[in-house]
Amino acid sequence: MRFQAWLLGAVSALAMAGIANAETTLTIATVNNGDMVRMQKLTDDFTKANPDIKLNWVTLEENVLRQKVTTDIATKGGQYDILTIGTYEVPIWAKNGWLVALDKLGADYDVDDLLPAIRNGISADGKLYAAPFYGESSMVMYRKDLMEKAGLKMPDAPTWDFIADAARKMTDRKEGINGVCLRGKAGWGENMAFLTAMSNSFGARWFDEKWTPQFDQPEWKKTLDFYVKLMKDAGPDGASSNGFNENLALFQQGKCGMWIDATVAASFVSDPKASKVADKVGYALAPDNGLGKRANWLWAWNLAIPAGSKKIDAAEKFVSWATGKHYTELVASKEGWANVPPGTRKSLYANADYQKAAPFAKMTLDSINAADPTKPTVKPVPYVGVQFVAIPEFQGIGTAVGQQFSAALAGKETVDAALKAAQTATEREMKKGGYIK
């Protein structure tokens, strides 16, 4: 009897040890942006507190990430346990039942601390379906020394005419300095994010109130003509291949007089470890054309959990860690306050240490709060979204149009031809989707 009791006890102990040592591996799909790369370096903080959870990273370029994650979730592939997705996908995928509602992120997560503009974009029916890792709008980042050399002073709220004039005056081909760097790489979230926001300030829109595509209207022609000519006169060679990361590298190397892009880039261009021009950078609101709309967008990169996941508890722990206040403090302690992920929490913008370390803080918050996804353009529209249209068909349409506009920038086709092709392709897809006859 004693032996049997001992044997049962031993088996039970071994079983319990097996359970205790059972490891959950979370596969996380993310984008190759600087803040996400930094997060991966800091995950020892998470795994020490959660030794039973192992992290497997799949880090991809933006366009590739979107394609792979969308395919996986739509086909219920189950390849990823945590997805990095944008403000565009969250409400659409939540409506499809593809995402887990994030209502168990812990008592100290403080959902009410999230900025309303960011929180609203990633919620559906009052529930949070993704947690924001960082939020952004867009603004002008510029070289104060080159602006002064050109005899100009950047206004806090510049016009497109000022930007164009300054870009041409700041351009110095012999020194390898381009007056302005703007996105040209094809993709609905690459060049079309920039060009859609820009077109809003020119009075353009993707669709009228009856969902009729508007690329055959004069506002889009003005937008694209202005953009292509400006980039030809003052942009870098090969601009049609440049997205966020490529332009960031150019600016950090001192090769751009101005860069109009995501506010999240401010910490990277002002970081002396990474940027040759860190002490020379100024910031301004995205440009306008006097029509009442600025060319600033609204976006967040978020962490979400696919519905049907068998690792929800572990995934929720990681999402809470990566998007909570503790992570912000961790980055501040390791990298300094200027480098914490911006644009998600009220408490960050009330933090005196952050305000002191980040000269771009107020401009970022003002830009985020100024963007209105329900009224993105000068004229009325039937859609929600500033630099995107929140309908499922937009990924395909946006990428197709982006390819045409990238080709126009590269000189492979005319602006008129690109607009005509964009109109035709968009009309075809909208008819197929039943929006128009």
Side-chain angles (χ1 to χ4, degrees), residues 102 105-106 108-115 119 128 345:
L102 298 182
L105 294 178
D108 61 347
Y109 187 74
D110 195 1
V111 172
D112 291 332
D113 186 44
L114 298 176
L115 291 171
R119 181 180 175 179
L128 200 68
R345 290 186 173 271

Side-chain angles (χ1 to χ4, degrees), residues 282-317:
Y283 310 94
L285 292 172
D288 74 352
N289 252 336
L291 300 176
K293 287 291 175 185
R294 294 203 163 270
N296 60 304
W297 64 62
L298 183 66
W299 185 255
W301 277 116
N302 314 280
L303 300 182
I305 303 169
S309 169
K310 293 180 173 56
K311 303 174 185 176
I312 290 175
D313 288 349
E316 283 173 337
K317 284 180 183 177

